[in-house]
Amino acid sequence: MRIVIALGGNALLRRGQPMTAENQRANIRAAVRNIVAVAGGNELVVAHGNGPQVGLLALQAAAYHDVVDEATPFPLDVLGAQTDAMIGYVIEQELRNLLPAGQSVATVLTMIEVDRHDPAFRHPTKPIGPVYDRVTAEKLAAAGGWVVAPDGDSFRRVVPSPHPKTIVELGVIEQLVEQQVIVICAGGGGIPTVRDDNGDLVGVEAVIDKDLASALLAAELGADLLVIATDVDGVYTGWGTAGQRRLDRIHPDDAEALSLPAGSMGPKVEAACGFARSTGGDAVIGALTDIARIVAGSGGTRVSVSGDGTKVPARRDQSQS
Protein backbone atom coordinates (compact mmCIF):
# COMPACT_ATOMS: atom_id res chain seq x y z
CA MET A 1 0.00 0.00 0.00
CA ARG A 2 1.26 3.49 -0.85
CA ILE A 3 0.81 5.78 2.16
CA VAL A 4 1.46 9.49 2.64
CA ILE A 5 1.90 10.41 6.32
CA ALA A 6 1.61 14.08 7.23
CA LEU A 7 3.23 14.75 10.60
CA GLY A 8 1.67 17.54 12.63
CA GLY A 9 3.59 20.09 14.62
CA ASN A 10 3.38 17.91 17.73
CA ALA A 11 5.77 15.49 16.02
CA LEU A 12 8.43 18.16 16.22
CA LEU A 13 7.57 20.35 19.17
CA ARG A 14 4.84 20.02 21.78
CA ARG A 15 2.92 23.14 22.66
CA GLY A 16 4.75 25.20 25.27
CA GLN A 17 8.05 23.31 24.94
CA PRO A 18 11.24 25.33 24.53
CA MET A 19 12.33 25.17 20.88
CA THR A 20 15.61 23.39 21.50
CA ALA A 21 17.34 20.94 19.20
CA GLU A 22 17.17 18.30 21.95
CA ASN A 23 13.40 18.63 22.37
CA GLN A 24 12.78 18.48 18.64
CA ARG A 25 14.97 15.43 18.16
CA ALA A 26 13.30 13.59 21.07
CA ASN A 27 9.84 14.29 19.60
CA ILE A 28 10.92 13.26 16.11
CA ARG A 29 12.44 10.06 17.47
CA ALA A 30 9.09 9.17 19.08
CA ALA A 31 7.24 9.97 15.84
CA VAL A 32 9.62 7.89 13.76
CA ARG A 33 8.98 4.80 15.91
CA ASN A 34 5.33 4.97 14.85
CA ILE A 35 6.27 5.37 11.19
CA VAL A 36 8.68 2.44 11.26
CA ALA A 37 5.87 0.27 12.66
CA VAL A 38 4.06 0.49 9.29
CA ALA A 39 7.09 0.51 6.98
CA GLY A 40 7.10 -3.20 6.26
CA GLY A 41 5.38 -4.03 2.97
CA ASN A 42 4.27 -0.42 2.34
CA GLU A 43 5.55 2.47 0.23
CA LEU A 44 5.93 5.47 2.53
CA VAL A 45 6.11 9.20 1.89
CA VAL A 46 6.48 11.49 4.92
CA ALA A 47 5.55 15.16 5.00
CA HIS A 48 5.84 17.44 8.02
CA GLY A 49 5.08 20.87 9.39
CA ASN A 50 7.58 23.63 10.17
CA GLY A 51 5.52 26.47 11.67
CA PRO A 52 7.45 26.92 14.93
CA GLN A 53 10.82 26.48 13.23
CA VAL A 54 10.25 28.93 10.38
CA GLY A 55 8.85 31.44 12.86
CA LEU A 56 11.97 31.17 15.00
CA LEU A 57 14.23 31.70 11.98
CA ALA A 58 12.15 34.72 11.02
CA LEU A 59 12.76 36.18 14.48
CA GLN A 60 16.50 35.53 14.16
CA ALA A 61 16.53 37.14 10.72
CA ALA A 62 14.73 40.18 12.08
CA ALA A 63 17.25 40.44 14.93
CA TYR A 64 20.11 40.35 12.43
CA HIS A 65 18.45 43.17 10.50
CA ASP A 66 18.41 45.22 13.71
CA VAL A 67 22.16 44.70 14.13
CA VAL A 68 23.12 45.25 10.48
CA ASP A 69 20.90 48.02 9.17
CA GLU A 70 21.58 47.38 5.50
CA ALA A 71 20.82 43.65 5.81
CA THR A 72 17.56 42.51 4.23
CA PRO A 73 15.77 39.87 6.34
CA PHE A 74 15.62 36.49 4.65
CA PRO A 75 12.21 35.90 3.00
CA LEU A 76 9.92 33.13 4.22
CA ASP A 77 10.56 30.89 1.21
CA VAL A 78 14.29 30.80 1.99
CA LEU A 79 13.64 30.29 5.70
CA GLY A 80 11.21 27.52 4.81
CA ALA A 81 13.87 25.77 2.73
CA GLN A 82 16.31 25.98 5.65
CA THR A 83 13.86 24.44 8.10
CA ASP A 84 12.83 21.73 5.62
CA ALA A 85 16.44 20.63 5.27
CA MET A 86 17.03 20.71 9.02
CA ILE A 87 13.88 18.77 9.91
CA GLY A 88 14.32 16.36 7.02
CA TYR A 89 17.86 15.63 8.19
CA VAL A 90 16.71 14.68 11.69
CA ILE A 91 13.75 12.59 10.48
CA GLU A 92 15.94 10.80 7.95
CA GLN A 93 18.65 10.08 10.50
CA GLU A 94 16.20 8.71 13.05
CA LEU A 95 14.53 6.56 10.40
CA ARG A 96 17.87 5.11 9.33
CA ASN A 97 18.67 4.28 12.95
CA LEU A 98 15.54 2.12 13.27
CA LEU A 99 14.93 0.70 9.80
CA PRO A 100 16.52 -2.51 8.56
CA ALA A 101 19.93 -2.14 6.93
CA GLY A 102 19.58 -1.52 3.23
CA GLN A 103 16.32 0.42 3.41
CA SER A 104 16.89 3.66 1.47
CA VAL A 105 15.64 7.00 2.78
CA ALA A 106 15.87 10.36 1.00
CA THR A 107 14.92 13.94 1.82
CA VAL A 108 13.74 16.07 -1.11
CA LEU A 109 13.47 19.84 -0.78
CA THR A 110 10.14 20.47 -2.47
CA MET A 111 9.00 23.61 -4.24
CA ILE A 112 5.23 23.94 -4.52
CA GLU A 113 3.72 26.45 -6.89
CA VAL A 114 0.82 28.63 -5.78
CA ASP A 115 -1.29 31.24 -7.56
CA ARG A 116 0.25 34.66 -7.06
CA HIS A 117 -3.29 36.10 -7.09
CA ASP A 118 -4.53 33.76 -4.36
CA PRO A 119 -6.77 35.80 -1.98
CA ALA A 120 -4.83 34.35 0.97
CA PHE A 121 -2.15 36.95 0.34
CA ARG A 122 -4.65 39.60 1.45
CA HIS A 123 -5.88 37.61 4.48
CA PRO A 124 -3.07 35.98 6.51
CA THR A 125 -4.26 33.01 8.61
CA LYS A 126 -1.33 30.60 9.02
CA PRO A 127 0.25 30.72 12.52
CA ILE A 128 4.04 30.48 12.70
CA GLY A 129 6.62 30.90 15.41
CA PRO A 130 6.30 30.89 19.20
CA VAL A 131 3.23 31.83 21.21
CA TYR A 132 3.10 35.21 22.99
CA ASP A 133 0.94 37.02 25.48
CA ARG A 134 -1.16 39.84 24.05
CA VAL A 135 1.16 42.69 25.07
CA THR A 136 4.28 41.05 23.62
CA ALA A 137 2.46 40.06 20.42
CA GLU A 138 1.21 43.60 19.87
CA LYS A 139 4.69 45.04 20.41
CA LEU A 140 6.26 42.63 17.94
CA ALA A 141 3.50 43.28 15.43
CA ALA A 142 4.04 47.01 15.63
CA ALA A 143 7.81 46.70 15.35
CA GLY A 144 7.91 44.18 12.52
CA GLY A 145 4.74 44.94 10.58
CA TRP A 146 3.36 41.53 11.50
CA VAL A 147 -0.22 40.37 11.62
CA VAL A 148 -1.00 38.51 14.86
CA ALA A 149 -4.04 36.47 15.82
CA PRO A 150 -5.30 34.51 18.85
CA ASP A 151 -4.04 30.95 19.24
CA GLY A 152 -5.86 29.41 22.18
CA ASP A 153 -5.28 31.73 25.11
CA SER A 154 -2.14 33.19 23.50
CA PHE A 155 -1.19 34.94 20.27
CA ARG A 156 1.02 34.06 17.30
CA ARG A 157 2.18 35.70 14.11
CA VAL A 158 0.06 34.74 11.08
CA VAL A 159 1.16 34.82 7.44
CA PRO A 160 -0.52 34.14 4.07
CA SER A 161 -1.35 30.50 3.38
CA PRO A 162 -2.19 30.12 -0.33
CA HIS A 163 -3.50 26.84 -1.72
CA PRO A 164 -0.95 24.50 -3.29
CA LYS A 165 -1.32 24.03 -7.05
CA THR A 166 1.69 22.18 -8.49
CA ILE A 167 4.44 20.07 -6.90
CA VAL A 168 7.58 20.94 -8.83
CA GLU A 169 9.60 17.87 -7.78
CA LEU A 170 6.72 15.40 -8.17
CA GLY A 171 8.49 13.36 -10.87
CA VAL A 172 11.60 12.90 -8.76
CA ILE A 173 9.57 11.91 -5.70
CA GLU A 174 7.59 9.37 -7.72
CA GLN A 175 10.77 7.81 -9.15
CA LEU A 176 12.18 7.39 -5.66
CA VAL A 177 8.99 5.83 -4.29
CA GLU A 178 8.88 3.37 -7.17
CA GLN A 179 12.41 2.32 -6.21
CA GLN A 180 11.17 1.54 -2.66
CA VAL A 181 12.82 4.63 -1.16
CA ILE A 182 11.09 6.18 1.86
CA VAL A 183 10.82 9.84 0.88
CA ILE A 184 10.64 12.83 3.22
CA CYS A 185 9.30 15.78 1.23
CA ALA A 186 6.89 18.72 1.07
CA GLY A 187 8.20 19.89 4.43
CA GLY A 188 6.21 22.74 5.89
CA GLY A 189 3.78 22.48 2.99
CA GLY A 190 6.62 22.89 0.51
CA ILE A 191 8.65 25.95 -0.42
CA PRO A 192 6.11 28.49 -1.75
CA THR A 193 6.79 29.67 -5.28
CA VAL A 194 4.92 31.48 -8.06
CA ARG A 195 5.48 32.06 -11.76
CA ASP A 196 6.55 35.60 -12.61
CA ASP A 197 5.66 37.44 -15.80
CA ASN A 198 8.45 35.59 -17.62
CA GLY A 199 7.20 32.21 -16.43
CA ASP A 200 10.14 31.78 -14.06
CA LEU A 201 9.74 30.28 -10.59
CA VAL A 202 10.34 32.75 -7.77
CA GLY A 203 9.85 32.44 -4.03
CA VAL A 204 7.02 34.20 -2.25
CA GLU A 205 6.33 35.38 1.31
CA ALA A 206 3.96 32.70 2.53
CA VAL A 207 3.67 29.33 4.28
CA ILE A 208 1.57 26.66 2.56
CA ASP A 209 -0.61 24.54 4.81
CA LYS A 210 1.13 21.21 5.31
CA ASP A 211 -2.06 19.14 5.27
CA LEU A 212 -3.35 20.64 2.02
CA ALA A 213 0.05 20.13 0.40
CA SER A 214 0.14 16.54 1.70
CA ALA A 215 -3.31 15.87 0.22
CA LEU A 216 -2.19 17.17 -3.17
CA LEU A 217 0.98 15.09 -2.92
CA ALA A 218 -0.97 11.96 -2.00
CA ALA A 219 -3.41 12.45 -4.87
CA GLU A 220 -0.67 13.10 -7.43
CA LEU A 221 1.28 10.04 -6.26
CA GLY A 222 -1.79 7.82 -6.44
CA ALA A 223 -1.56 7.01 -2.73
CA ASP A 224 -3.96 4.46 -1.28
CA LEU A 225 -4.13 6.21 2.07
CA LEU A 226 -3.47 9.68 3.47
CA VAL A 227 -2.70 9.76 7.20
CA ILE A 228 -2.89 13.16 8.89
CA ALA A 229 -1.16 12.57 12.21
CA THR A 230 -1.81 15.07 14.97
CA ASP A 231 -2.08 15.26 18.76
CA VAL A 232 -5.73 14.17 19.06
CA ASP A 233 -7.22 10.79 18.18
CA GLY A 234 -9.71 12.08 15.63
CA VAL A 235 -12.36 14.64 14.74
CA TYR A 236 -14.97 15.35 17.40
CA THR A 237 -18.41 16.86 17.62
CA GLY A 238 -19.10 18.93 20.71
CA TRP A 239 -15.37 19.26 21.39
CA GLY A 240 -14.62 20.34 24.95
CA THR A 241 -18.12 19.57 26.23
CA ALA A 242 -19.52 16.70 28.27
CA GLY A 243 -21.16 15.38 25.11
CA GLN A 244 -18.09 15.39 22.87
CA ARG A 245 -17.98 12.42 20.50
CA ARG A 246 -15.29 11.17 18.17
CA LEU A 247 -16.34 10.43 14.63
CA ASP A 248 -15.09 7.03 13.46
CA ARG A 249 -16.04 7.39 9.79
CA ILE A 250 -17.56 10.30 7.92
CA HIS A 251 -18.47 11.26 4.37
CA PRO A 252 -16.81 14.44 3.03
CA ASP A 253 -20.20 16.16 2.74
CA ASP A 254 -20.83 15.71 6.46
CA ALA A 255 -17.25 16.54 7.39
CA GLU A 256 -17.39 19.84 5.51
CA ALA A 257 -20.62 20.75 7.33
CA LEU A 258 -18.74 20.89 10.63
CA SER A 259 -17.67 24.27 11.98
CA LEU A 260 -13.91 23.99 12.46
CA PRO A 261 -11.19 26.59 13.12
CA ALA A 262 -9.24 27.76 10.06
CA GLY A 263 -5.95 27.64 11.92
CA SER A 264 -6.10 24.09 13.27
CA MET A 265 -8.53 21.22 12.50
CA GLY A 266 -10.21 23.02 9.60
CA PRO A 267 -7.39 22.54 7.05
CA LYS A 268 -6.97 18.90 8.13
CA VAL A 269 -10.61 18.12 7.37
CA GLU A 270 -10.46 20.15 4.15
CA ALA A 271 -7.37 18.20 3.07
CA ALA A 272 -8.93 14.84 3.97
CA CYS A 273 -12.13 15.66 2.09
CA GLY A 274 -10.23 16.85 -0.97
CA PHE A 275 -8.16 13.68 -1.14
CA ALA A 276 -11.15 11.37 -0.61
CA ARG A 277 -13.21 13.11 -3.28
CA SER A 278 -10.47 13.39 -5.90
CA THR A 279 -9.14 9.84 -5.57
CA GLY A 280 -11.82 7.69 -3.97
CA GLY A 281 -9.21 6.70 -1.39
CA ASP A 282 -9.49 7.17 2.35
CA ALA A 283 -7.91 9.89 4.48
CA VAL A 284 -7.62 9.42 8.23
CA ILE A 285 -7.10 12.11 10.87
CA GLY A 286 -5.77 10.67 14.11
CA ALA A 287 -3.14 10.57 16.79
CA LEU A 288 0.51 10.20 15.94
CA THR A 289 0.74 7.32 18.39
CA ASP A 290 -2.08 5.50 16.55
CA ILE A 291 -0.47 5.34 13.11
CA ALA A 292 -0.27 1.53 13.16
CA ARG A 293 -3.95 1.27 14.13
CA ILE A 294 -4.89 3.85 11.50
CA VAL A 295 -3.15 1.89 8.75
CA ALA A 296 -4.83 -1.29 10.03
CA GLY A 297 -8.21 0.45 9.76
CA SER A 298 -9.10 0.79 13.44
CA GLY A 299 -7.92 4.23 14.50
CA GLY A 300 -8.68 7.89 13.88
CA THR A 301 -11.50 9.51 11.94
CA ARG A 302 -11.72 8.02 8.45
CA VAL A 303 -12.99 10.39 5.74
CA SER A 304 -14.33 8.30 2.90
CA VAL A 305 -16.74 8.59 -0.02
CA SER A 306 -17.63 4.91 0.40
CA GLY A 307 -19.84 3.35 3.05
CA ASP A 308 -22.59 4.87 5.15
CA GLY A 309 -20.23 7.00 7.18
CA THR A 310 -21.01 8.50 10.58
CA LYS A 311 -24.00 10.79 10.75
CA VAL A 312 -23.24 14.09 12.41
CA PRO A 313 -25.74 15.55 14.89
CA ALA A 314 -27.92 18.33 13.48
CA ARG A 315 -26.25 20.94 15.65
CA ARG A 316 -22.81 21.57 14.17
CA ASP A 317 -21.10 23.79 16.72
CA GLN A 318 -17.77 22.06 16.87
CA SER A 319 -14.77 24.19 17.81
CA GLN A 320 -12.06 21.59 17.98
CA SER A 321 -8.51 22.85 17.72
Side-chain angles (χ1 to χ4, degrees):
M1 184 161 55
R2 182 171 291 186
I3 306 169
V4 172
I5 299 174
L7 296 177
N10 61 296
L12 310 175
L13 193 74
R14 295 189 178 93
R15 187 176 180 85
Q17 271 190 323
M19 204 180 306
T20 65
E22 292 80 7
N23 282 339
Q24 292 177 78
R25 181 174 287 277
N27 291 331
I28 288 172
R29 184 177 294 124
V32 162
R33 292 193 190 101
N34 293 288
I35 295 171
V36 169
V38 298
N42 293 313
E43 297 176 336
L44 297 185
V45 177
V46 180
H48 59 81
N50 72 343
Q53 291 77 15
V54 76
L56 178 62
L57 283 187
L59 281 174
Q60 293 172 344
Y64 181 65
H65 175 67
D66 292 340
V67 174
V68 183
D69 291 338
E70 65 272 18
T72 301
F74 283 99
L76 281 175
D77 61 303
V78 174
L79 299 180
Q82 291 178 349
T83 59
D84 293 351
M86 174 189 73
I87 296 166
Y89 154 68
V90 179
I91 294 175
E92 181 176 338
Q93 189 175 78
E94 293 299 330
L95 279 170
R96 288 181 180 275
N97 287 339
L98 292 178
L99 288 165
Q103 172 63 63
S104 297
V105 185
T107 301
V108 178
L109 288 182
T110 312
M111 291 184 286
I112 294 187
E113 187 180 344
V114 302
D115 183 350
R116 59 178 172 167
H117 302 299
D118 191 305
F121 288 109
R122 298 190 299 273
H123 304 286
T125 60
K126 183 67 176 175
I128 66 170
V131 296
Y132 305 101
D133 59 59
R134 179 187 290 273
V135 173
T136 303
E138 290 176 348
K139 286 182 179 178
L140 289 169
W146 292 0
V147 177
V148 296
D151 184 357
D153 56 359
S154 302
F155 288 80
R156 291 176 77 185
R157 180 186 178 186
V158 291
V159 299
S161 183
H163 272 241
K165 296 295 183 184
T166 305
I167 301 169
V168 177
E169 285 80 11
L170 179 65
V172 174
I173 295 166
E174 190 159 24
Q175 289 178 40
L176 290 169
V177 173
E178 289 174 352
Q179 295 299 315
Q180 307 304 310
V181 178
I182 295 177
V183 182
I184 303 157
C185 61
I191 303 162
T193 58
V194 298
R195 295 282 177 181
D196 65 14
D197 291 336
N198 297 319
D200 294 332
L201 281 170
V202 294
V204 66
E205 282 281 293
V207 173
I208 303 169
D209 182 81
K210 170 263 304 173
D211 297 308
L212 297 179
S214 299
L216 175 63
L217 175 67
E220 294 291 332
L221 287 175
D224 302 291
L225 180 67
L226 169 63
V227 177
I228 299 176
T230 183
D231 56 354
V232 293
D233 63 349
V235 180
Y236 281 74
T237 58
W239 177 256
T241 70
Q244 72 178 33
R245 180 169 66 93
R246 184 174 67 82
L247 303 173
D248 294 324
R249 189 181 186 94
I250 188 169
H251 190 279
D253 291 346
D254 290 321
E256 288 175 342
L258 296 167
S259 176
L260 297 164
S264 55
M265 189 59 75
K268 292 176 174 56
V269 170
E270 180 184 351
C273 291
F275 175 76
R277 279 208 179 96
S278 66
T279 68
D282 289 358
V284 184
I285 302 169
L288 175 66
T289 53
D290 286 343
I291 286 178
R293 292 181 59 239
I294 288 170
V295 172
S298 61
T301 297
R302 187 166 296 258
V303 180
S304 176
V305 296
S306 63
D308 295 333
T310 301
K311 295 300 180 184
V312 180
R315 183 180 179 182
R316 296 180 172 94
D317 58 352
Q318 184 169 349
S319 59
Q320 185 177 358
S321 60

